[in-house]
Amino acid sequence: MGKEQWCLAVPKREAEQTRRRLLEEGLLDRNFRPRPEGDTVLFPLTEEVAGATRCEFEALPERAELPRHELVGGIAIMQEDDPEGAERLLSSRPSLQTVLFPETAVEGEYRTRRFAVLAGVPSTRTRVTEYGLSFDVDLSLAYFSARLATERQRVLGVMEEGERVLDMFAGVGPFAITLARRAGLVIAADLNPAAVHLLVHNIALNRATNVVPMLADAAHLPRLGFAPFDRVVMNLPLAAPQFIPAAAALCREGGTLHLYALEGQEGEFLPLIRAVTQGEVAERHVRTYSPGKWHAVYDIVVEKGGC
Ligand code: SAM
């Protein structure tokens, strides 16, 4: 008898690429067996994502014993403080170096967590590979989420060659360095010195010669005399909406803002957006945060004329 799970159906020719991406993002539920259906393969997911439906899967007995976790490079982050489960997890995969348990929620201005080491090397630093790029991260010093990998590729996919991009809350640089593949110039700002230190390192690691790192509070950016940007990325889900006026001021007429926001109601931030632009707005669900709350992205075309 199968169990109903969130599931993603993809064409068979994209199955291997999707399996790897879901694994990297910690979204593939390894307790169940993916299965073919017609011309597609159904992948079991750990949570709801855009395009997911409900399907039945058979449990994999040999995996059913492994504790739930999220993978970030060579680190597994467990949901339970279970040292014995952590040892089993560590020995189940040669690529794992450390198993952590978060002692706090993501907190503070720097959006970091404190971790206890449950098994393996006592370190919160690891290297993440994402679509051919490498990011060195330190989970206790600076924010990083592997779960936004697909979202970064989506934004890259809508860009024109040579754009001027601003990443207002760049962290260790995953958006900035990904978008640099198509951009002419990326300005990447963050106010966490440890994040900017890793950002500088990751720019060099990926030989991204068109990314300029900045230790700066995003609120001060409009005063620094930048020429207008074609695209502004705003990934600070709890507070980004308050930076909409600053982002719109930094963006050219007809340019795009990508606003990531935590919301509990569809269209929650439309009134704030409408106060600065009458341009087109597309809103989509990125991932579930907690029951009744989700991360949404608003793609906002800046048209200041009528405001
Ligand atoms: N964009 C990165 C990513 O996807 O991994 C980091 C996103 S993280 C949710 C938000 C980042 O914004 C943190 O690195 C934090 O230090 C930074 N931050 C918070 N307030 C800021 C501000 N006022 N100005 C600039 N950066 C800020």
Side-chain angles (χ1 to χ4, degrees), residues 1 23 28 99 124 126 168 190 194 204 228 249 262 280 288 295 301 307:
M1 183 68 183
L23 259 181
L28 185 66
V99 182
T124 50
T126 187
M168 290 177 99
D190 201 289
L262 184 62
E280 200 179 307
T288 305
H295 283 183
V301 177
C307 295

Side-chain angles (χ1 to χ4, degrees), residues 73-76 90 93-99 119-127:
I75 293 179
L90 192 66
R93 263 195 229 176
S95 59
L96 270 187
Q97 72 200 33
T98 305
V99 182
V121 181
S123 168
T124 50
R125 187 166 173 135
T126 187
R127 179 165 294 180

Side-chain angles (χ1 to χ4, degrees), residues 220-290:
H220 299 159
L221 297 175
R223 289 190 238 133
L224 299 184
F226 290 113
F229 292 94
D230 299 299
R231 193 171 301 277
V232 180
V233 177
M234 308 169 70
N235 178 25
L236 178 61
L238 279 182
Q242 78 199 48
F243 291 87
I244 295 170
L250 286 155
C251 192
R252 73 165 165 84
E253 190 73 17
T256 305
L257 313 181
H258 300 282
L259 168 72
Y260 295 86
L262 184 62
E263 65 182 14
Q265 208 187 317
E266 228 170 276
E268 191 172 321
F269 295 104
L270 274 176
L272 280 178
I273 294 167
R274 284 290 166 239
V276 298
T277 170
Q278 290 310 307
E280 200 179 307
V281 178
E283 179 190 357
R284 68 189 82 203
H285 179 118
V286 179
R287 66 188 181 95
T288 305
Y289 177 77
S290 60

Side-chain angles (χ1 to χ4, degrees), residues 109-111 142-145 148 152 167-175 189-192 195 216-219 235-237 243:
E109 221 173 15
Y110 297 167
R111 310 310 297 143
Y143 177 94
F144 182 83
S145 171
L148 289 176
R152 297 189 249 278
D167 186 351
M168 290 177 99
F169 312 103
V172 305
F175 266 104
D190 201 289
L191 52 57
N192 175 359
D217 184 329
N235 178 25
L236 178 61
F243 291 87

Side-chain angles (χ1 to χ4, degrees), residues 2 15 18 28 61 68-69 72 110 133 149 153 166 173 178 194 199 220 241 246 250 258 275 305:
T18 304
L28 185 66
R68 282 183 77 110
H69 62 278
V72 181
Y110 297 167
L133 295 171
Q153 293 300 312
L166 170 63
T178 299
L199 167 63
H220 299 159
L250 286 155
H258 300 282

